């Protein structure tokens, strides 16, 4: 990791989030949280996978220059956004759900609720509506005026990452080892691509052999799902209950049935293993720690100027003029 990227991360981790608070829209848009949850309910009935997809937007947004909805910006002739970054392309989805939430909020409270706050609320709702914990979110974020594909490429971890790397990365954001393991429980819902596990099945660490940590029967299932000639965008469940937010993910890790390398190494690495064991036996503890860690991650701020976008996919026209003049 370059010094420039490290300094960028440290700036995000130390930027103040003192202005964020629960009930931020209680006067300016009192129905905001109810509107977000209602749109999320409808979206998840139509496409259950959208819950996991929307939840992941918080991770991929907040880690890159703070929680500022930079992830949602489409490319422009003068800017390469984050949607096509290495960790996002052919992976992140359900951007249209955020569009639907924004449209509903604009009808009720024009130019009031930021896209960055929508991601935070919708992510929380995705978890709660999937059977997971519910929590009070802090709001009051502004939307970024730009995005950076390069920053996303430099910061976001790969599915090939191991627990040791992830511990060091999360530490740069003032997120603890416990936070890392709890947040990894986001993989309790959703699916992953064959692309992310081909090396585990056929060439772990360049050995030409499968990852020995994979339980044999589970490996046979993955081999059938992802043979060598497979379309690598084919997806498989991240745990045994992919539509229910529970602690099954951690039980699977203990049994050697972690889908991603970055998941299974949480159990094989000593510093993270104990938390996996605790959460595999105590769902209430997992839910509590997950909610705390999501709030903590939501505090990541860059301190850069922002706005309330009218359309989450593009900056407001007056902001474009300001950027061109600067």
């Amino acid at each position: 990791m370059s010094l420039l990227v490290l300094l960028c991360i440290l700036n995000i981790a130390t930027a103040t989030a003192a202005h964020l608070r629960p009930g931020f829209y209680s006067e300016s848009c009192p129905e905001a949280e109810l509107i977000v949850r209602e749109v999320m309910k409808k979206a998840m009935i139509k496409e259950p996978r959208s819950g996991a997809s929307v939840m992941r937007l918080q991770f991929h947004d907040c880690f890159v220059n703070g929680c500022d909805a930079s992830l949602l910006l489409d490319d422009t002739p003068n800017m390469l956004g984050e949607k096509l970054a290495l960790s996002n392309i052919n992976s992140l989805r359900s951007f249209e759900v955020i569009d639907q939430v924004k449209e509903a909020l604009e009808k009720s409270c024009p130019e009031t609720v930021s896209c960055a706050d929508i991601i935070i609320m919708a992510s929380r709702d995705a978890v709660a509506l999937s059977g997971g914990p519910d929590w009070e979110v802090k709001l009051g974020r502004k939307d970024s005026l730009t995005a950076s594909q390069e920053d996303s490429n430099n910061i976001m971890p790969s599915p090939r990452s191991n627990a040791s790397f992830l511990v060091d990365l999360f530490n740069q954001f003032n997120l603890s080892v416990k936070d890392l393991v709890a947040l990894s429980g986001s993989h309790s819902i959703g699916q992953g691509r064959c692309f992310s596990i081909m090396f585990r099945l056929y060439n772990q660490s360049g050995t030409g052999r499968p990852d020995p940590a994979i339980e044999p029967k589970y490996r046979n299932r993955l081999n059938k799902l992802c043979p060598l000639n497979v379309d690598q965008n084919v997806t498989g469940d991240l745990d045994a209950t992919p539509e229910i937010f529970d602690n099954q993910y951690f039980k699977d890790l203990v049994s050697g049935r972690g889908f991603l390398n970055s998941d299974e190494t949480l159990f094989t690495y000593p510093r993270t293993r104990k938390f996996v064991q605790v959460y595999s036996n105590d769902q209430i503890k997992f839910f509590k720690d997950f909610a705390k860690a999501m709030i903590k991650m939501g505090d990541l701020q860059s301190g850069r100027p922002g706005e309330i976008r009218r359309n989450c996919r593009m900056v407001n026209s007056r902001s474009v003029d300001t950027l061109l003049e600067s």
Side-chain angles (χ1 to χ4, degrees):
M1 186 176 295
S2 71
L3 177 60
L4 182 61
V5 172
L6 180 58
L7 289 174
C8 176
I9 290 175
L10 290 174
N11 286 337
I12 295 167
T14 56
T16 179
H19 64 286
L20 301 178
R21 58 181 173 82
F24 182 85
Y25 298 107
S26 58
E27 294 184 6
S28 60
C29 190
E31 300 297 308
E33 293 194 49
L34 293 175
I35 290 171
V36 176
R37 182 155 295 200
E38 188 60 30
V39 175
M40 284 300 301
K41 281 182 183 178
K42 292 177 181 178
M44 291 173 65
I45 290 172
K46 183 178 180 181
E47 169 53 271
R49 234 186 115 191
S50 65
S53 300
V54 168
M55 175 189 58
R56 289 201 172 81
L57 297 180
Q58 177 171 337
F59 289 74
H60 289 248
D61 183 45
C62 292
F63 269 46
V64 182
N65 298 320
C67 310
D68 61 1
S70 60
L71 176 67
L72 302 180
L73 289 173
D74 288 340
D75 290 355
T76 71
N78 300 312
M79 182 199 74
L80 285 177
E82 297 163 24
K83 289 180 178 178
L84 298 182
L86 295 175
S87 62
N88 301 337
I89 188 171
N90 296 324
S91 178
L92 292 188
R93 54 198 293 279
S94 295
F95 293 105
E96 73 282 355
V97 176
I98 301 299
D99 294 336
Q100 293 163 12
V101 174
K102 182 61 172 174
E103 182 179 359
L105 286 168
E106 285 298 300
K107 287 180 180 178
S108 181
C109 316
E111 300 183 51
T112 302
V113 181
S114 70
C115 300
D117 279 344
I118 289 173
I119 290 176
I120 298 297
M121 289 185 280
S123 183
R124 181 269 312 269
D125 293 344
V127 173
L129 292 170
S130 299
D134 205 343
W135 61 91
E136 190 173 48
V137 290
K138 292 191 285 185
L139 304 170
R141 297 165 188 80
K142 292 291 182 69
D143 298 324
S144 67
L145 304 179
T146 188
S148 174
Q149 188 174 120
E150 181 180 7
D151 286 350
S152 183
N153 285 337
N154 287 334
I155 294 171
M156 290 305 298
S158 160
R160 299 189 178 204
S161 300
N162 59 36
S164 176
F165 173 86
L166 293 173
V167 166
D168 290 341
L169 174 63
F170 274 58
N171 181 61
Q172 302 304 324
F173 291 99
N174 291 332
L175 293 169
S176 68
V177 175
K178 181 171 72 172
D179 294 331
L180 162 63
V181 180
L183 289 171
S184 295
S186 64
H187 288 170
S188 171
I189 54 176
Q191 298 182 321
R193 294 184 297 151
C194 286
F195 171 81
S196 301
I197 64 169
M198 296 301 285
F199 75 100
R200 290 192 74 204
L201 296 178
Y202 304 106
N203 192 28
Q204 178 77 338
S205 302
T207 62
R209 301 176 63 83
D211 181 356
I214 307 176
E215 189 271 328
K217 290 183 179 179
Y218 183 62
R219 188 179 70 231
N220 289 338
R221 284 173 49 195
L222 294 181
N223 286 142
K224 292 178 181 178
L225 175 71
C226 306
L228 281 169
N229 61 347
V230 73
D231 172 358
Q232 295 193 24
N233 286 317
V234 167
T235 58
D237 298 337
L238 289 173
D239 82 350
T241 56
E243 293 183 6
I244 302 172
F245 195 99
D246 54 18
N247 70 334
Q248 182 63 46
Y249 164 82
F250 296 103
K251 294 178 181 179
D252 287 350
L253 297 189
V254 172
S255 301
R257 298 189 183 98
F259 187 82
L260 301 175
N261 189 72
S262 54
D263 289 333
E264 192 58 51
T265 61
L266 294 174
F267 184 65
T268 58
Y269 184 56
R271 291 186 64 191
T272 50
R273 180 186 182 107
K274 61 182 179 181
F275 294 109
V276 172
Q277 290 174 318
V278 168
Y279 296 150
S280 71
N281 291 312
D282 191 340
Q283 181 167 281
I284 294 174
K285 173 67 172 170
F286 163 49
F287 280 9
K288 181 179 178 181
D289 289 349
F290 180 84
K292 286 182 177 179
M294 288 290 278
I295 293 169
K296 195 172 176 181
M297 178 170 57
D299 284 345
L300 296 175
Q301 300 286 288
S302 69
R304 297 176 179 178
E307 64 176 5
I308 306 297
R309 286 187 216 137
R310 293 186 289 270
N311 181 332
C312 291
R313 294 175 179 265
M314 62 187 71
V315 299
N316 299 334
S317 57
R318 63 178 179 271
S319 300
V320 173
D321 295 337
T322 301
L323 285 171
L324 291 175
E325 292 171 2
S326 61

